[in-house]
Amino acid sequence: MINILLCGCGGRMGAAVAAAAVAAGDRIVAGIDINPTAEGPFPVYTSPEEFSGRADVIVDFSHHSALSGLLAYAERTATPIVVCTTGHTEEQVAMMRDYASRVPVFFSRNMSLGINLLMSLCRKAAATLGADFDIEIIEKHHNQKLDAPSGTALMLADCVSESDQDAHPYIYDRHNERRKRTRGEIGIHAVRGGTIVGEHEVLFAGKDEIISLSHSASSREVFATGAMRAAHFMAGRSKGFYNMDDVINSL
């Protein structure tokens, strides 16, 4: 059993993580949320500084704007942190790497084990097919999602572009320019509607053939399960910057 400080506990993902923790026999010792409530199985605070207890790990499903305060708290209390939020800037990712030199930090733009397997398949496909295949990424999410494209779509684009040393510009708005598709670019498209939990498709389009790799999440439980796996992995870890590849390799 591990003790978890859950940030963003009032959101839908926070509720899913709390349920997953109970199912796994773990304990949420406290929650952090901008809208605290007096009711519930654990106390909820507006700031981690208000929590006087101890946790084995921090799980963050709040908002990327809360990152700096959570990292500072993690360092002060020597508590490993699992960052599950999306929409981070390059400066915020650099901040996480900096803190990782002093405290254990886990970061993934998608907590699904399936998505991380998809990334591995995309790397292999890009390396095998080479520049003769055009690459397009289509992501679909519910109409309440704030950031576009999704962090997962960018993560997939990054893993594809790592396959060789050539430049791979990311193209988001084709309607802005009237021109043919240039060699090596990666198209990224966002769809927002209804209650779509999360769908990602990577198309490799070549001469007379198309290869499609995709992943679809039908509930938020897959992300909560991944977050709990990461939380167990991080509890007791030494300082460093970790991601879902480390969790998968430890299974």
Side-chain angles (χ1 to χ4, degrees):
M1 183 187 80
I2 59 173
N3 295 317
I4 300 167
L5 177 60
L6 178 58
C7 302
C9 61
R12 287 172 291 186
M13 276 310 310
V17 171
V22 170
D26 297 312
R27 178 173 172 238
I28 308 294
V29 292
I32 308 297
D33 201 89
I34 58 174
N35 297 308
T37 175
E39 301 178 359
F42 49 82
V44 180
Y45 306 97
T46 58
S47 166
E49 302 299 337
E50 299 173 15
F51 173 57
S52 59
R54 287 286 302 171
D56 297 313
V57 63
I58 302 163
V59 175
D60 175 33
F61 261 115
S62 58
H63 188 270
H64 64 85
S65 61
L67 178 67
S68 59
L70 291 176
L71 288 174
Y73 174 83
E75 181 181 20
R76 183 177 67 78
T77 59
T79 309
I81 181 169
V82 176
V83 180
C84 310
T85 51
T86 61
H88 297 94
T89 64
E90 292 183 5
E91 290 76 14
Q92 287 177 313
V93 175
M95 183 192 304
M96 282 187 270
R97 292 185 180 277
D98 176 60
Y99 270 89
S101 65
R102 303 181 296 278
V103 66
V105 177
F106 176 102
F107 173 59
S108 176
R109 291 186 173 94
N110 191 298
M111 300 306 296
S112 162
L113 295 177
I115 278 289
N116 285 272
L117 175 59
L118 175 63
M119 289 172 57
S120 177
L121 295 173
C122 286
R123 287 191 189 97
K124 185 172 183 180
T128 302
L129 300 174
D132 292 333
F133 280 71
D134 297 325
I135 301 170
E136 297 284 311
I137 299 173
I138 304 99
E139 57 98 342
K140 304 174 184 177
H141 285 87
H142 53 86
N143 57 22
Q144 300 300 302
K145 186 170 178 61
L146 299 178
D147 55 317
S150 69
T152 302
L154 294 173
M155 191 165 62
L156 289 166
D158 289 345
C159 77
V160 166
S161 66
E162 292 167 1
S163 62
D164 58 53
Q165 300 301 314
D166 294 335
H168 292 275
Y170 298 170
I171 306 299
Y172 306 102
D173 297 307
R174 295 197 183 280
H175 67 276
N176 285 337
E177 296 183 53
R178 183 176 174 80
R179 62 170 177 80
K180 293 182 179 180
R181 191 185 200 282
T182 59
R183 186 179 178 87
E185 70 184 40
I186 298 176
I188 304 177
H189 314 276
V191 176
R192 296 290 176 267
T195 58
I196 303 172
V197 175
E199 297 181 10
H200 293 84
E201 181 180 16
V202 183
L203 293 177
F204 294 85
K207 181 176 172 54
D208 301 329
E209 60 180 336
I210 298 174
I211 297 169
S212 172
L213 300 174
S214 64
H215 175 272
S216 178
S218 58
S219 80
R220 291 179 176 82
E221 291 182 8
V222 297
F223 308 119
T225 299
M228 290 304 302
R229 285 182 181 269
H232 276 266
F233 173 81
M234 289 297 288
R237 289 280 163 186
S238 58
K239 63 184 179 182
F241 195 56
Y242 302 90
N243 59 33
M244 193 58 80
D245 284 342
D246 298 305
V247 175
I248 292 173
N249 291 335
S250 71
L251 296 178

